[in-house]
Amino acid sequence: MTKGVSMSIPEIIGKSVCGPKHIEAGDTCQDNWNGDAAEEYLLTCVADGLGSSDKSAVGSELAVNAVVSRFQDWVAEFDGKIATISEETIEELYGELYSTARTSLINRAESEENSLDEYHTTLSIVLATPDWYAAG
C-alpha cells in the first residue's frame, strides 16, 4: 500500500432468499447474514436455519447478530492492527464468536421456555484483512 493513500471501507451487500420448497410449504426464509467492515477488516457471517426446527429463522438471526455485536466489542477493546494478530488470537476470537452465538440461542430458548433444538442453525464466519482471511 502506498503511504498516504487510505483504503476505502467496502460496502457489504447480501440477501437471504427463500427456496422454492419453503415457498411451496408457506415457510419463511430461515437464512440470515450480517457483517461489519472498516478500512482494515471485513467480517461476514451467514447462518442457515435448520428447516425442521420451528424457530430456526430466529436462531439464524440471533446467531449472526450476536457474532457481529461481539466482534464490534472486540475491535473496540483491541489495541493494535487486526492484520497483525496471531493465528492463536484468531482461533481464540473465533471460539469466542461461536460461543457468543450459542449463548444467545441458549438465552432465548430459556427466556421463552423452549428447547434449544427449536433454534438450530448453521453458522459460518469469514474475517478478511488486506493481508489474510480466516474462515470458520
Side-chain angles (χ1 to χ4, degrees):
M1 187 161 115
T2 306
K3 188 174 181 176
V5 176
S6 67
M7 294 178 48
S8 63
I9 298 173
E11 181 179 2
I12 303 172
I13 301 170
K15 181 160 179 64
S16 296
V17 178
C18 192
K21 289 184 180 178
H22 292 295
I23 293 170
E24 287 175 18
D27 294 334
T28 61
C29 184
Q30 296 146 346
D31 306 337
N32 281 282
W33 69 275
N34 200 346
D36 187 38
E39 283 190 8
E40 72 170 316
Y41 67 82
L42 172 68
L43 172 81
T44 58
C45 48
V46 176
D48 183 355
L50 185 66
S52 60
S53 295
D54 288 342
K55 299 185 181 303
S56 64
V58 173
S60 66
E61 183 177 17
L62 287 169
V64 297
N65 290 340
V67 167
V68 171
S69 177
R70 179 61 197 117
F71 179 75
Q72 290 170 334
D73 291 345
W74 182 86
V75 168
E77 298 164 3
F78 184 72
D79 184 27
K81 288 280 207 190
I82 292 175
T84 64
I85 63 176
S86 68
E87 188 172 333
E88 181 181 340
T89 300
I90 295 167
E91 289 174 5
E92 290 171 4
L93 172 61
Y94 267 62
E96 189 175 328
L97 295 175
Y98 280 108
S99 177
T100 298
R102 181 170 175 79
T103 299
S104 73
L105 300 181
I106 291 168
N107 291 343
R108 176 61 67 91
E110 288 176 355
S111 73
E112 294 184 354
E113 298 181 0
N114 291 320
S115 167
L116 181 59
D117 291 345
E118 293 184 46
Y119 299 88
H120 277 181
T121 185
T122 63
L123 177 62
S124 298
I125 304 168
V126 175
L127 175 60
T129 74
D131 299 321
W132 55 260
Y133 73 90

